Amino acid sequence: MAGSSLWSSSGTNESQGSANASDTTQTPQMPQLALIDFFFPGFSIFAGAISKYLHIDLNLYLPLLLLTGVLTVVWNYASSYLWEQLETHFMSVVDIRTDDEIYNILMAWVANQRFSQGARRFVVNTNLNSRSWRLWYFDYDDDEEEHLSESKKKKKVLSYTPSFGSHYFWYRGRLLLFRRQSKESNSFMLVSEREEISISCFGRNPWILKELLMEARQMYLQKDEHKTLIYRGTLKPGSTEPTWQRCMARASRPFSTVILNEKTKQELIDDVTDYLRPSTQRWYANRGIPYRRGYMLHGPPGTGKSSLSLALAGFFKMRIYIVSLSSITANEETLAALFAELPRRCVVLLEDIDTAGLTHTREGIQGQAQSQSTDDDMVPGQLTTGNGNTNNNGPTGRLSLSGLLNILDGVASQEGRVLIMTTNHRDQLDSALIRPGRVDMIVEFGLADEEMTEAIFRAIFAHLDGDDDNVDTAADVPLDADERKKLELEKAKVQAAHDAKVDIQAKAFAAKVPTHEFSPAELQGYLMKYKRNAQGAIDNIEAFIEQTRKDRKEKQLKEAEEKRKAEAKKKEEEAKKQAEEAKKKEEDEEKKKKAADEKASSAAPTATEAKPADGEDKKPAEKEEPKEAKAPEKLELKAKGDEKLDSGYVTPASGDP
């Protein structure tokens, strides 16, 4: 009995299990499961596998899953809407343009902050500047490496900035938000070029953001405090809009390193110092005088004109704006736009102005035009050749002299700048360009005399701080004040002895160098070869002078030979041209003679046909030529016989009746 009952019960369980399995396969899916399977394909299979192997029925949790999904969607939309409203009405935001220098200023500040260095998602760069075309060409590696040791200068400095997204940080007790994202427009641009950054703060007063920007700007300027920033005029790629592009930052050159007469140098410094005073600007304004100052630096190449411009800008902590007048894009509109963007306190440098094609005077052009107009042979219907005035913008759009003068000191010209023009040939410049008012001070640079030669020698071989390979560190300096004082005195004695030795060597070197024969650049280039051997420079100067003179003579002979060849070629071309003109003239005369003969031959038959009409006998055309030849004799006979006067012209049809 027991066994049978057990068997029956087990059979009953098996039948129930088979019935349940059949019910499971036959029962349709629940509506919730079908809905989830519609949004998440394959969810029903996953739920069946979980139910079969883990005995967990996911159908019981469907309402909870649906509620969680709905709440998630609602939260995303609600949070976005609420954050937008909060940012619009209760936050202050500053957006940073990537095509402006403020981007470089802010990113340099961000890279030094703790939240940037400790970010888990960050961007690593060897160059923090903007990838925008206007700022991409400037390299900051030189600025970064100046503060590093020799071992680290060989490696690129890595800078870390937060990656794309939102990053919170504390600044002066205020919670700020740094946001970095990429805009979707202009997909042809690089990711770094589509970058947008902004800084936000809670509150409607943005004073904390302005203080942050001022701090970043101050830190950025400290890096360039001992540098001279150089800008160059250029055009934006793909457009004709001109702008100033920062091209480099060079270490400010001490004014003492400029090789020039000390009196002239001091006069130039005093003049610029007086001009830059605020009281001087008011003095100009009260008297109605334009607040501008111009300087002309002229002399042979290599005499230090560009070096003086750089030293002058560094001495007064001004930026240099270089303008190239020989550029193909240099026209009146472009330069006027560039000069309009100049700051009030800067140096504008026009280098080698004599090579810009503006060397011919307007008086000479007018005289040339008058002589050309009197010498040219005009024929009826011929167009005039013009006056040859190159003083106006032609089809090529090049800069004219009158346009340059209007830009420099016209009605719309910028005030407050210091204009410096350099040239190798002052006599080739137009007198209107260097008249008083445009050029207030002319500085002449000549070849090296004895005083300049000594100054160049001292500048090369004088011992300055940092020249030694082994620089004393803080650990090498003794702590005792007496020992430090004793060490400084010993260094001062060594320095004085070295300076005295250099002075003696400088006089010996200058005595061997002929005055007014070599430029300062030539002497400096020679001394650079012996920068650690002053006595060697003195001993070998005679060989350098002899070799330089020999090279100059060969160069002069070569130039003379090239000039003779050019003149011979020019004469040959002129002779060939004259021969062609003579040949052409002969051909024209032959054509004219042939045309006259054809005209005479066409008129001869008409004359022979007129004789039968007057009753005259017909005669061959060959016999009429002697008759015409005898006509003067007949006229002479009539005149002697006091007969009837004749006009002297006998036609074949005008015989006596």
Side-chain angles (χ1 to χ4, degrees):
M1 283 298 287
S4 61
S5 62
L6 180 62
W7 173 257
S8 62
S9 63
S10 61
T12 303
N13 293 333
E14 290 178 358
S15 63
Q16 290 178 356
S18 61
N20 292 335
S22 62
D23 293 340
T24 304
T25 57
Q26 293 178 1
T27 55
Q29 294 181 346
M30 297 179 63
Q32 297 89 343
L33 186 62
L35 181 62
I36 294 179
D37 196 45
F38 176 78
F39 288 102
F40 303 98
F43 181 79
S44 60
I45 300 175
F46 175 74
I50 293 296
S51 176
K52 181 178 180 180
Y53 295 103
L54 300 179
H55 304 289
I56 298 175
D57 189 5
L58 294 180
N59 295 331
L60 300 176
Y61 301 98
L62 288 181
L64 182 61
L65 293 176
L66 291 176
L67 180 61
T68 304
V70 171
L71 291 178
T72 302
V73 173
V74 172
W75 170 253
N76 288 335
Y77 282 100
S79 62
S80 299
Y81 176 78
L82 292 176
W83 178 258
E84 182 180 355
Q85 296 299 319
L86 178 65
E87 188 176 14
T88 303
H89 300 287
F90 300 100
M91 294 184 67
S92 301
V93 184
V94 54
D95 296 320
I96 307 301
R97 293 175 48 186
T98 57
D99 60 346
D100 193 89
E101 197 172 358
I102 186 62
Y103 177 90
N104 299 342
I105 295 174
L106 184 61
M107 292 305 293
W109 182 87
V110 169
N112 293 326
Q113 302 304 309
R114 293 180 59 184
F115 82 94
S116 178
Q117 298 175 357
R120 292 185 296 109
R121 296 182 66 250
F122 54 88
V123 178
V124 59
N125 299 95
T126 58
N127 195 339
L128 287 175
N129 61 331
S130 173
R131 266 58 176 177
S132 178
W133 70 269
R134 194 180 305 183
L135 305 173
W136 173 239
Y137 299 102
F138 179 70
D139 192 2
Y140 289 86
D141 291 344
D142 297 337
D143 300 337
E144 301 279 349
E145 293 179 355
E146 284 188 358
H147 307 286
L148 301 177
S149 60
E150 290 294 332
S151 60
K152 293 184 178 180
K153 283 185 178 181
K154 300 178 181 179
K155 301 178 182 179
K156 286 284 187 178
V157 180
L158 299 181
S159 301
Y160 304 98
T161 54
S163 181
F164 291 91
S166 300
H167 306 269
Y168 291 92
F169 66 98
W170 292 92
Y171 176 75
R172 296 187 181 181
R174 298 285 298 273
L175 183 62
L176 303 183
L177 173 62
F178 175 80
R179 182 178 297 172
R180 191 175 190 178
Q181 57 189 1
S182 177
K183 54 185 177 182
E184 300 297 333
S185 60
N186 297 331
S187 58
F188 61 90
M189 301 171 64
L190 298 176
V191 176
S192 56
E193 294 176 336
R194 303 197 306 266
E195 181 181 352
E196 292 181 345
I197 61 175
S198 63
I199 300 179
S200 309
C201 70
F202 293 95
R204 299 176 62 89
N205 190 351
W207 65 270
I208 191 66
L209 300 179
K210 295 180 180 179
E211 288 189 1
L212 187 149
L213 295 175
M214 292 299 295
E215 179 181 334
R217 179 176 178 269
Q218 186 66 25
M219 187 182 72
Y220 185 81
L221 293 178
Q222 286 179 356
K223 183 175 60 177
D224 298 331
E225 185 177 2
H226 301 290
K227 293 182 178 295
T228 302
L229 306 183
I230 301 176
Y231 291 77
R232 185 176 294 275
T234 183
L235 298 178
K236 293 183 179 180
S239 67
T240 58
E241 183 180 355
T243 187
W244 293 106
Q245 174 183 308
R246 177 175 173 176
C247 55
M248 67 179 64
R250 297 182 58 181
S252 297
R253 179 170 180 174
F255 218 89
S256 58
T257 61
V258 178
I259 307 301
L260 186 65
N261 183 272
E262 292 297 331
K263 182 180 178 182
T264 305
K265 199 188 309 185
Q266 189 62 40
E267 289 178 355
L268 180 62
I269 293 176
D270 294 342
D271 188 81
V272 178
T273 303
D274 180 73
Y275 171 72
L276 295 177
R277 289 176 181 171
S279 59
T280 303
Q281 182 177 358
R282 294 191 297 269
W283 188 90
Y284 275 78
N286 293 335
R287 288 157 178 79
I289 302 175
Y291 184 58
R292 291 186 290 265
R293 201 69 177 168
Y295 301 91
M296 168 66 68
L297 313 181
H298 70 96
T303 52
K305 298 183 292 296
S306 300
S307 300
L308 178 64
S309 305
L310 181 63
L312 191 68
F315 184 83
F316 291 100
K317 299 185 182 303
M318 295 187 295
R319 299 180 178 183
I320 291 184
Y321 293 81
I322 301 177
V323 180
S324 177
L325 299 180
S326 58
S327 174
I328 58 175
T329 59
N331 53 47
E332 187 172 353
E333 295 181 358
T334 301
L335 287 183
L338 289 175
F339 272 71
E341 295 180 2
L342 288 173
R344 294 187 61 86
R345 183 186 172 96
C346 67
V347 174
V348 182
L349 180 60
L350 304 180
E351 286 190 301
D352 298 329
I353 196 171
D354 56 298
T355 63
L358 306 174
T359 56
H360 298 290
T361 60
R362 292 175 291 182
E363 293 81 0
I365 292 175
Q366 294 176 358
Q368 182 181 359
Q370 293 177 359
S371 62
Q372 183 177 359
S373 62
T374 56
D375 295 341
D376 290 343
D377 295 332
M378 300 295 293
V379 297
Q382 179 180 348
L383 297 176
T384 58
T385 58
N387 59 359
N389 188 2
T390 60
N391 211 27
N392 297 324
N393 285 332
T396 58
R398 295 301 301 275
L399 180 67
S400 65
L401 178 60
S402 60
L404 177 61
L405 298 180
N406 291 331
I407 292 171
L408 294 181
D409 60 354
V411 176
S413 60
Q414 182 66 283
E415 294 188 355
R417 83 289 183 279
V418 176
L419 176 66
I420 298 179
M421 294 184 289
T422 66
T423 179
N424 297 335
H425 307 283
R426 176 191 171 189
D427 54 344
Q428 294 183 4
L429 297 179
D430 192 294
S431 58
L433 186 62
I434 57 177
R435 68 162 177 80
R438 292 192 178 102
V439 174
D440 302 288
M441 185 175 182
I442 298 177
V443 181
E444 182 179 3
F445 288 75
L447 299 177
D449 55 9
E450 186 175 357
E451 181 182 354
M452 295 172 64
T453 304
E454 292 182 8
I456 296 172
F457 190 92
R458 293 191 189 94
I460 296 296
F461 296 104
H463 186 274
L464 303 176
D465 295 338
D467 289 346
D468 296 335
D469 296 333
N470 299 324
V471 181
D472 295 336
T473 60
D476 299 331
V477 178
L479 298 178
D480 190 9
D482 295 336
E483 292 183 1
R484 287 200 304 268
K485 187 175 181 180
K486 183 178 179 181
L487 182 61
E488 292 176 358
L489 290 175
E490 291 179 357
K491 288 184 178 180
K493 290 180 181 180
V494 173
Q495 181 71 24
H498 184 272
D499 293 343
K501 182 180 178 182
V502 170
D503 289 339
I504 296 173
Q505 291 175 336
K507 293 180 180 180
F509 178 79
K512 293 184 177 183
V513 177
T515 59
H516 305 293
E517 184 175 347
F518 298 95
S519 66
E522 290 176 324
L523 295 178
Q524 180 176 336
Y526 167 75
L527 293 176
M528 288 291 290
K529 300 178 182 179
Y530 304 91
K531 55 180 174 292
R532 291 182 176 86
N533 186 9
Q535 190 60 40
I538 299 174
D539 297 337
N540 298 321
I541 186 61
E542 291 89 351
F544 168 76
I545 296 173
E546 183 179 356
Q547 183 64 33
T548 304
R549 289 174 176 174
K550 182 179 178 181
D551 294 341
R552 288 179 179 177
K553 188 175 181 180
E554 292 178 355
K555 185 179 179 180
Q556 291 176 356
L557 293 175
K558 186 178 180 180
E559 291 178 353
E561 183 66 22
E562 292 178 355
K563 187 175 181 180
R564 284 194 296 268
K565 289 182 180 179
E567 291 178 353
K569 185 177 180 181
K570 184 178 180 181
K571 289 180 180 179
E572 183 179 354
E573 291 177 354
E574 290 179 354
K576 186 177 180 181
K577 185 177 180 181
Q578 291 177 358
E580 291 177 355
E581 291 178 353
K583 185 177 179 181
K584 186 177 180 181
K585 188 175 181 180
E586 291 178 359
E587 291 177 355
D588 293 341
E589 291 179 355
E590 290 180 359
K591 288 181 181 180
K592 290 180 181 180
K593 186 176 181 181
K594 187 176 180 181
D597 294 342
E598 291 178 356
K599 185 176 181 181
S601 61
S602 61
T606 306
T608 54
E609 291 176 359
K611 287 185 177 181
D614 296 337
E616 297 292 334
D617 295 337
K618 294 182 178 180
K619 293 183 180 180
E622 293 80 8
K623 295 182 180 180
E624 291 183 2
E625 293 180 358
K627 185 177 180 181
E628 291 178 0
K630 294 179 180 179
E633 297 179 358
K634 185 176 180 181
L635 291 174
E636 292 178 359
L637 293 173
K638 287 182 179 181
K640 292 179 180 180
D642 296 332
E643 295 179 358
K644 182 176 63 175
L645 297 177
D646 201 307
S647 62
Y649 181 79
V650 181
T651 61
S654 62
D656 295 333

